[in-house]
Amino acid sequence: MAENGYFELISQEGNILLKVYPPEAEGEMVTTEDVNRYLDLISFHEFDIVGVDSYLKENEFAQPLLLGTGELIPESEKCVITIVKEGLRALARFYPPMKGGAVLTESDIVSSLKLAGVKHGIKKKAIQHFLSNHEYCRDYIIAEATPPVHGHNARIQYFFDVNATAKPKLNDDGSVDFHQLGNIKLVSEGDKLAELTPVDRGRPGIAVNGKQIPPRKVKNLMLRFGRNIELSKDRCRIYSKVSGHVTLVEDMVLVSDIYQVPANVDSSTGDIVYKGTVQVTGNVNTGFRIEAEGDIVVNGVVEGATLIAGGNIVLKRGMQGMDRGELQAEGNITAKFLENCKVKCNGVLKADAILHSQVECRDNIDVLGKKGLINGGQMQTYGSIHATTLGSTMGASTKIDILSDVDLIKKVNTMKEEIEELEKELGKIDQIAELVRAKIQMKEEVPEGQMKFIREASVRKPELARQIREKKYERESIQTRIQKHKNASVRAEGIVYGGVKLTIKDAVRNIRDKESHCKYVREGADVRSIGL
């Protein structure tokens, strides 16, 4: 270890002398500031500081430097304590005693530390090192703070794309696809949405003066969320309670099973494929598509677009399909008007007017209201059709078909046979199982073939029971529908114009002359008109 240079005062024959000992190896040289600090410490002020500085710079120390005259009481060994870096360390700097002066003891050094305000982290080894070596004019790290343990900010990890910016896809041919923008972030019930790593505030340290050293400030966060979201018991994770779409709005996670489009469905939104219900505030432009497992509600006009709903479709203003528009609903369809479009509806269809459209419906079609007009195109349904006006003065070809239940009846009979076959198989399993149980009770040997059958049957039996339940339910539903539409008819509250072709369960009637206030029913092989 390099040993610094140091100095001492000598009182000799009425003179006060400064004796300098140069450093060894790469030790540090005595500085003017160090000499000045020491002389201030012992209250020796009558000396030439410029002379001291010149003497040290000349680096010729064979002869001591005369500081002044007079007599000095021999000074003891000195210890100067300095607290640095806001209490992280305390440094001790020692100066040699004059001839006849006392040397420091451990107790003296500890007293100096206390006097300087050092209360914590005193390094006994550093004190012992000095007492063993008495190295002067160097800084001993004589006390060190206990540093704070710094914590960390709370962090939230989101398990969905929080980027709400919808970007169109660039196709291989260089064109831009505005349909698949990916701006709907779909989630399923039970999906983890976000996880919080809680804030760690850390632990304070202790400075050498005994004061606390606070850890770095950290930022706390909490999971913010709306309805349809479940919080874990430890409050660190959130899960979706429904299938729908997730968004992040000002650090709040929102899950909705209703997707609301605030304006039009167009190139700004792209196509919409959603597990819940879709509500459109504006219009649905030509060429775009909405698929929803729930309902679709459109406040504006639907152009030549495609709407497919697992539930109902409600068009508050209607559809101008331009021969491109298409509606498909597992439930009901309600619209102000339907024009030049294709419609498939498994429930009831209600509209104020249906013009030049191809309609397939399983239940009733009601076209009433101010116009109540069916003109052009073809209506096909298993239920009844109720309208105000059929056709027009222009004689546009208008086909009204109430479909025969023959296919449904055939399906019911086929399903009956299928159910019987499944029940027969289930009965065979129960029969053999009962036989095996009896043999086991009688302690008879059961053939391996029967045991293998029983093992396979234990897996097959629940599946058979499920198939039977589902087929019975479907068959009963079809039978209910057949019974409901047994007496389906076409009812016109107003005028039926020439050019309308009525087909009721394979019986046909072409309207040639204007008729009014009629109900059309099948009677034998004919369609008969009954006045209202």
Side-chain angles (χ1 to χ4, degrees):
M1 177 183 292
E3 185 172 327
N4 290 352
Y6 66 96
F7 61 90
E8 65 176 344
L9 291 189
I10 299 172
S11 180
Q12 186 177 10
E13 298 177 354
N15 294 323
I16 309 300
L17 305 174
L18 177 69
K19 175 65 175 176
V20 175
Y21 299 89
E24 295 181 2
E26 296 180 0
E28 295 179 4
M29 178 58 186
V30 174
T31 65
T32 305
E33 290 76 15
D34 215 9
V35 174
N36 190 39
R37 185 186 306 123
Y38 174 75
L39 294 177
D40 279 346
L41 179 65
I42 65 172
S43 301
F44 185 88
H45 303 298
E46 301 297 328
F47 68 95
D48 181 5
I49 187 66
V50 176
V52 171
D53 185 62
S54 299
Y55 177 72
L56 294 175
K57 286 179 179 178
E58 288 175 0
N59 206 24
E60 292 291 339
F61 307 126
Q63 296 297 325
L65 174 67
L66 177 63
L67 294 178
T69 59
E71 293 293 333
L72 276 182
I73 298 174
E75 293 288 344
S76 63
E77 201 170 33
K78 300 296 183 185
C79 174
V80 177
I81 304 297
T82 306
I83 296 176
V84 298
K85 294 187 177 180
E86 299 180 345
L88 292 181
R89 286 180 178 177
L91 303 179
R93 198 170 183 91
F94 297 95
Y95 299 96
M98 293 178 63
K99 187 176 180 180
V103 295
L104 292 169
T105 65
E106 181 176 349
S107 177
D108 293 332
I109 296 173
V110 171
S111 296
S112 296
L113 287 167
K114 290 181 178 179
L115 189 62
V118 177
K119 302 175 182 179
H120 175 79
I122 296 173
K123 300 170 74 70
K124 293 294 183 79
K125 285 186 177 180
I127 296 174
Q128 292 301 325
H129 184 277
F130 169 75
L131 293 175
S132 299
N133 298 279
H134 291 275
E135 295 179 16
Y136 302 114
C137 295
R138 58 158 288 193
D139 289 330
Y140 283 81
I141 300 173
I142 204 160
E144 280 191 301
T146 299
V149 177
H150 296 297
H152 58 72
N153 295 336
R155 298 187 296 271
I156 296 177
Q157 180 183 6
Y158 296 101
F159 294 93
F160 58 92
D161 185 3
V162 298
N163 182 11
T165 303
K167 295 182 180 179
K169 176 185 175 184
L170 183 64
N171 296 322
D172 293 338
D173 61 3
S175 60
V176 177
D177 183 0
F178 286 95
H179 291 267
Q180 304 299 326
L181 298 184
N183 54 346
I184 300 178
K185 312 302 187 295
L186 298 177
V187 292
S188 299
E189 181 181 352
D191 281 356
K192 182 162 67 170
L193 304 175
E195 184 169 357
L196 170 70
T197 300
V199 65
D200 182 352
R201 299 189 183 279
R203 295 190 299 276
I206 304 175
V208 295
N209 58 8
K211 295 181 179 179
Q212 279 196 349
I213 304 174
R216 283 192 295 264
K217 290 185 178 180
V218 291
K219 182 179 179 182
N220 193 18
L221 296 173
M222 60 182 295
L223 290 169
R224 300 178 64 238
F225 55 92
R227 65 185 186 91
N228 297 326
I229 292 175
E230 182 178 13
L231 180 65
S232 64
K233 289 182 179 180
D234 62 5
R235 309 183 72 82
C236 290
R237 289 173 297 281
I238 54 175
Y239 300 88
S240 178
K241 293 168 67 175
V242 299
S243 293
H245 74 285
V246 58
T247 53
L248 185 66
V249 181
E250 295 181 353
D251 297 328
M252 178 173 283
V253 181
L254 303 173
V255 171
S256 175
D257 51 0
I258 299 177
Y259 181 68
Q260 293 184 320
V261 182
N264 299 333
V265 175
D266 52 23
S267 58
S268 67
T269 63
D271 295 340
I272 294 173
V273 179
Y274 189 59
K275 290 184 178 180
T277 292
V278 176
Q279 293 182 344
V280 181
T281 303
N283 304 326
V284 182
N285 289 2
T286 297
F288 289 90
R289 184 182 188 91
I290 300 176
E291 291 186 38
E293 291 185 9
D295 300 337
I296 298 175
V297 180
V298 182
N299 292 345
V301 174
V302 180
E303 298 177 351
T306 299
L307 275 60
I308 302 174
N312 306 316
I313 294 178
V314 178
L315 309 183
K316 294 186 178 180
R317 291 185 60 189
M319 182 176 202
Q320 173 51 270
M322 307 174 188
D323 291 325
R324 295 179 59 184
E326 185 174 346
L327 301 178
Q328 294 182 32
E330 292 297 320
N332 305 324
I333 294 179
T334 304
K336 189 71 174 175
F337 68 91
L338 299 171
E339 185 173 355
N340 293 309
C341 58
K342 292 181 180 180
V343 179
K344 290 185 178 181
C345 175
N346 283 342
V348 174
L349 172 60
K350 293 185 178 183
D352 188 51
I354 301 178
L355 308 174
H356 308 289
S357 297
Q358 303 296 315
V359 177
E360 297 178 20
C361 186
R362 284 191 177 180
D363 213 320
N364 297 337
I365 298 176
D366 294 332
V367 185
L368 301 168
K370 290 184 179 180
K371 293 185 178 180
L373 172 64
I374 297 176
N375 182 32
Q378 183 174 20
M379 306 288 117
Q380 291 185 326
T381 181
Y382 289 97
S384 296
I385 295 178
H386 191 184
T388 302
T389 304
L390 300 177
S392 69
T393 56
M394 302 299 292
S397 175
T398 305
K399 297 179 180 180
I400 307 293
D401 294 346
I402 295 180
L403 301 174
S404 172
D405 294 330
V406 172
D407 291 338
L408 290 178
I409 292 171
K410 287 180 179 177
K411 186 173 182 179
V412 166
N413 293 333
T414 300
M415 292 182 72
K416 180 183 178 183
E417 294 173 0
E418 292 172 351
I419 291 168
E420 288 173 351
E421 285 297 319
L422 292 171
E423 287 177 336
K424 188 182 296 183
E425 185 179 351
L426 190 60
K428 181 181 177 182
I429 290 173
D430 290 338
Q431 233 177 12
I432 296 177
E434 184 61 33
L435 179 62
V436 170
R437 276 195 296 270
K439 286 184 177 182
I440 292 173
Q441 288 176 356
M442 297 293 292
K443 297 184 179 179
E444 296 180 9
E445 185 179 350
V446 180
E448 177 58 30
Q450 288 184 349
M451 290 302 298
K452 182 180 179 183
F453 179 84
I454 291 298
R455 286 193 294 269
E456 294 174 351
S458 64
V459 177
R460 173 70 175 152
K461 186 176 178 179
E463 176 62 19
L464 285 173
R466 184 190 64 80
Q467 291 181 21
I468 291 170
R469 285 195 306 271
E470 290 180 355
K471 285 185 179 292
K472 281 185 175 180
Y473 177 79
E474 185 180 357
R475 184 170 181 268
E476 289 171 3
S477 298
I478 295 173
Q479 285 177 319
T480 301
R481 198 168 77 199
I482 291 171
Q483 188 62 33
K484 177 181 178 181
H485 301 314
K486 183 177 179 180
N487 299 314
S489 62
V490 178
R491 182 184 178 103
E493 299 291 338
I495 299 173
V496 181
Y497 289 96
V500 174
K501 180 181 179 180
L502 299 173
T503 303
I504 301 179
K505 299 183 179 180
D506 301 327
V508 180
R509 177 168 178 166
N510 289 299
I511 308 299
R512 293 181 174 81
D513 298 319
K514 184 168 66 173
E515 300 179 11
S516 61
H517 307 293
C518 300
K519 178 181 178 181
Y520 298 94
V521 297
R522 178 174 177 174
E523 191 173 273
D526 298 322
V527 175
R528 188 167 70 89
S529 173
I530 301 173
L532 297 179

